[in-house]
Amino acid sequence: MNEFIVVLGWFGLYAPVAFGAIGSSWGCTLAGSAAIGAMLDSDGGYGRFVGVSLMPSSQVIYGIVIMFSLQRSSIDAANGAALFAIGVLSGATMLLTGIRQGEVLASAINASKAKPEIFGISLAPAAVLEGFSVFALVFALVLAGSIPA
Amino acid sequence: MSRPHQYIMLVTSLPHLGKMFTRKEVPISEFRLKQRLSMLRPDHLRLLRELVEVTAWAGVARYSLDSEVLRRAREVIGDLKDYPDLQHLVGARMETRTVIAALRRRRDGQETAGDIENWGFGRWCGRIANHWSDPGLGLGNFMPWVAEAHRLMQSGNHIAMERLSLTQIFRQLDHYGMLHEFDFEAVAIYVLRWVIVERWSRYSEDAARERLQLLVTAALGGPNAPGGPSELDGMAADEPPPGQGLFADASSALQETLS
């Protein structure tokens, strides 16, 4: 049983990075595809399209930070379950927010191509999603401090 | 093309078409549009061709009988089984055509709906037959524009009639367009809107009047003359042959009302 909890602990330790990387790559693919398409139909402003399409890359960075905060000198039955729970749940948050951020960024790029003046405000939903990722990061860090070493 | 990000790229590469009647020219040429659509999977491209064929005027102009048009529409609806919103769109388009055909028949003196099952499509056929003498064909609560179309048709204001008809079609496309952003349906709806905008952009009032005269002359031969138009859509001698291009022509209430 103890070995199983240790396995779960290692799984939880790496989950934020793995799920964050998947979310970021998925989100960047969606937003990046929109940016490439928009460049085909635009005579300028390519930089801002590509720039915003990179926004979902923050999820993997948050995942790396969470992983370091969860890291312990040893993973055992005392801390394995906590590492698993915090790691997997924060990782799942990074995964979903990364994908959804990519989707809303694609919509924002598509809409602002037709109406350039809404470019800034159209990024608001993506910024809100970024905020949710930050919440997950901050509270994962807070809880990580109470996990036994 | 099947993966979502590829549809995202295709949709964002297509310029915004804007509101109906606000543009004097299409924002993307047919050549460029076809080039972009080459990103579609072959089976989607085939479905798109069928969809355009059955909804655009020139596509159905090859058929001399209404029953052939109806059969083709049912075939296309069957082929679109994986895309229910496009099926509904074709159905709604055919119902609009049925209403316009009914108004035209009534204007031409037909006293009853007759064998409406052979020239009409959709859920309103029975209602149209039962309310033949009503200016709105009994559809006033569902399609308030029908009474206005009746008035325009009776007054011979074909350009306004064309405008009204295209506005209704555009609304149908807007309705279904709201449900799709980055998928095959979104691309198909974009193309259907492009067809209408492109057709309208080719209009000028003088050219329309000249064309009107030609069509009136052609119509004197009667809708059932050899090689003549189907009741549902009409055919004009000066139209390009069907199948010449992917988006050969849009639906035209102008022709529908005149044939």
Side-chain angles (χ1 to χ4, degrees):
Chain A
M1 185 62 185
N2 282 355
E3 286 81 4
F4 181 63
I5 293 176
V6 170
V7 170
L8 289 183
W10 279 104
F11 188 86
L13 181 61
Y14 194 65
V17 180
F19 288 151
I22 295 170
S24 290
S25 59
W26 199 326
C28 286
T29 301
L30 298 176
S33 300
I36 293 167
M39 285 192 275
L40 279 174
D41 183 41
S42 308
D43 296 325
Y46 306 139
R48 65 180 188 168
F49 290 139
V50 174
V52 297
S53 73
L54 300 178
M55 211 168 161
S57 56
S58 57
Q59 271 75 9
V60 68
I61 297 169
Y62 300 154
I64 291 169
V65 174
I66 293 170
M67 184 198 75
F68 280 123
S69 74
L70 294 176
Q71 201 171 19
R72 297 290 181 273
S73 53
S74 69
I75 296 177
D76 50 33
N79 59 22
L83 293 176
F84 176 78
I86 296 174
V88 168
L89 290 175
S90 60
T93 306
M94 300 306 158
L95 173 67
L96 285 176
T97 54
I99 295 169
R100 293 299 184 193
Q101 203 172 44
E103 290 173 354
V104 294
L105 284 169
S107 298
I109 290 170
N110 193 34
S112 61
K113 190 169 60 71
K115 209 171 177 184
E117 64 271 22
I118 65 164
F119 182 73
I121 194 73
S122 69
L123 299 179
V128 170
L129 286 169
E130 189 71 25
F132 295 149
S133 295
V134 172
F135 284 156
L137 165 69
V138 169
F139 289 101
L141 297 181
V142 170
L143 288 178
S146 59
I147 299 174
Chain B
M1 189 176 76
S2 60
R3 286 170 292 182
H5 68 271
Q6 289 175 311
Y7 276 108
I8 290 177
M9 189 168 77
L10 174 55
V11 171
T12 54
S13 74
L14 301 171
H16 185 54
L17 289 176
K19 290 180 181 167
M20 188 68 194
F21 310 121
T22 57
R23 283 189 178 270
K24 290 207 185 302
E25 56 187 36
V26 281
I28 182 170
S29 68
E30 185 174 344
F31 175 76
R32 282 265 178 241
L33 182 57
K34 282 180 179 174
Q35 212 173 34
R36 303 269 161 88
L37 293 175
S38 63
M39 289 188 234
L40 284 171
R41 246 171 34 196
D43 57 324
H44 278 172
L45 202 53
R46 179 183 59 76
L47 282 177
L48 183 59
R49 281 179 195 278
E50 287 186 20
L51 182 64
V52 172
E53 178 208 327
V54 82
T55 53
W57 183 86
V60 292
R62 74 178 71 176
Y63 304 106
S64 55
L65 294 173
D66 294 330
S67 54
E68 291 173 349
V69 177
L70 298 177
R71 183 184 50 76
R72 184 65 187 131
R74 289 188 182 108
E75 282 174 5
V76 171
I77 287 173
D79 290 345
L80 291 167
K81 60 183 181 304
D82 295 330
Y83 305 100
D85 282 339
L86 294 182
Q87 286 182 317
H88 293 148
L89 199 54
V90 174
R93 180 74 191 90
M94 294 301 294
E95 286 175 351
T96 305
R97 282 180 175 165
T98 299
V99 169
I100 294 172
L103 291 173
R104 192 178 66 230
R105 281 169 178 258
R106 197 172 57 183
R107 179 205 60 191
D108 292 343
Q110 192 169 313
E111 291 179 356
T112 65
D115 55 343
I116 192 167
E117 64 278 2
N118 291 326
W119 58 265
F121 183 98
R123 63 202 145 145
W124 305 120
C125 288
R127 199 172 182 88
I128 291 171
N130 292 335
H131 298 82
W132 189 252
S133 56
D134 177 18
L137 293 169
L139 300 171
N141 291 330
F142 311 100
M143 300 181 180
W145 61 272
V146 178
E148 172 71 2
H150 164 77
R151 190 185 62 75
L152 293 172
M153 200 174 279
Q154 292 300 322
S155 64
N157 192 346
H158 300 295
I159 292 173
M161 178 64 208
E162 174 85 339
R163 202 180 165 100
L164 179 66
S165 169
L166 291 182
T167 301
Q168 298 312 315
I169 296 165
F170 227 67
R171 280 187 187 157
Q172 288 168 2
L173 294 172
D174 282 345
H175 171 73
Y176 289 103
M178 294 287 284
L179 306 175
H180 299 278
E181 192 174 18
F182 299 119
D183 52 16
F184 173 62
E185 289 94 325
V187 175
I189 289 168
Y190 181 91
V191 171
L192 295 179
R193 292 180 66 178
W194 181 91
V195 168
I196 294 174
V197 172
E198 194 271 342
R199 182 176 183 93
W200 189 257
S201 71
R202 282 192 278 132
Y203 284 169
S204 74
E205 199 164 329
D206 292 340
R209 285 186 199 291
E210 192 179 325
R211 183 179 178 77
L212 195 61
Q213 287 307 315
L214 283 170
L215 291 167
V216 167
T217 310
L220 289 177
N224 296 320
S230 81
E231 283 285 337
L232 212 52
D233 274 283
M235 178 186 280
D238 57 341
E239 283 299 326
Q244 226 174 31
L246 180 57
F247 326 113
D249 209 345
S251 66
S252 170
L254 184 60
Q255 279 117 16
E256 285 170 347
T257 52
L258 285 169
S259 58

